[in-house]
């Protein structure tokens, strides 16, 4: 084994990089991509400097793997900024605080309101059709209402 390690060529590093990139295709979330790039980089360095000792090759691979992983981690954190539109893709949250007329009576704690061109299920105190209600919250697809 030690004889193999002492004679690592750039093909070995490029093969490792290719294997890691293939594994990345199966859904590693970006981490094997950067480690594969580090292995390919060591392969290029080994091609340019064929007398590079095997121990230094592994040290370079470790350092480049850590540096690229840190780069990826920082890039991921920078991409997760707070949205300027916090209610985006949260259908129903824009209805909180608005008032509506009951489309179907609330019986047994459930009824319906019409908001725009949609009917929404509501939960709250029993009320007859035509009562005005205010949306106070949301529980999944159910809107919580209270009488005005």
């Amino acid at each position: 084994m030690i004889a193999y390690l002492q004679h690592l060529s750039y093909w070995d590093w490029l093969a490792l990089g290719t294997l890691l990139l293939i594994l990345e295709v199966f859904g590693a979330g970006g981490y094997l991509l950067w480690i594969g790039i580090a292995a390919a980089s060591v392969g290029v360095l080994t091609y340019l400097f064929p007398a590079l000792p095997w121990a230094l090759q592994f040290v370079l691979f470790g350092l480049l793997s850590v540096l690229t992983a840190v780069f990826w981690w920082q890039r991921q954190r920078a991409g997760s900024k707070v949205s300027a539109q916090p209610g985006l893709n949260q259908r129903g949250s824009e209805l909180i605080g608005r008032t509506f007329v009951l489309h179907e009576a609330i019986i047994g704690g459930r009824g319906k309101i019409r908001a725009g061109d949609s009917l929404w299920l509501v939960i709250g105190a029993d009320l007859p059709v035509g009562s005005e209600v205010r949306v106070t919250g949301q529980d999944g697809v159910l809107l919580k209402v209270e009488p005005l």
Side-chain angles (χ1 to χ4, degrees):
M1 179 72 172
I2 195 78
Y4 178 74
L5 290 177
Q6 290 176 343
H7 299 291
L8 281 176
S9 73
Y10 64 92
W11 287 114
D12 298 314
W13 288 107
L14 293 178
L16 176 63
T18 302
L19 177 67
L20 290 170
L21 293 175
I22 289 170
L23 291 174
E24 173 62 34
V25 170
F26 294 110
Y31 294 101
L32 290 181
L33 169 73
W34 298 103
I35 296 173
I37 289 173
S41 299
V42 173
V44 169
L45 287 173
T46 305
Y47 178 75
L48 295 174
F49 306 104
L52 206 60
W54 67 272
L56 185 57
Q57 291 177 25
F58 278 98
V59 168
L60 283 172
F61 175 65
L63 285 173
L64 287 173
S65 295
V66 169
L67 288 174
T68 55
V70 168
F71 168 76
W72 176 252
W73 179 72
Q74 287 178 343
R75 191 120 158 99
Q76 289 290 90
R77 288 196 72 196
S80 60
K81 295 180 181 173
V82 177
S83 174
Q85 298 173 329
L88 187 64
N89 292 332
Q90 294 180 0
R91 203 163 173 241
S93 65
E94 71 273 2
L95 301 176
I96 296 174
R98 293 181 49 192
T99 60
F100 297 95
V101 176
L102 281 178
H103 183 71
E104 289 183 16
I106 300 178
I107 300 172
R110 290 185 175 236
K112 291 184 181 179
I113 60 170
R114 181 173 294 279
D117 61 350
S118 301
L119 288 176
W120 285 81
L121 291 172
V122 296
I123 54 177
D126 289 355
L127 293 169
V129 173
S131 300
E132 286 194 15
V133 292
R134 173 177 285 124
V135 179
T136 60
Q138 184 178 7
D139 184 19
V141 296
L142 299 173
L143 296 176
K144 299 176 184 176
V145 295
E146 64 182 19
L148 282 180

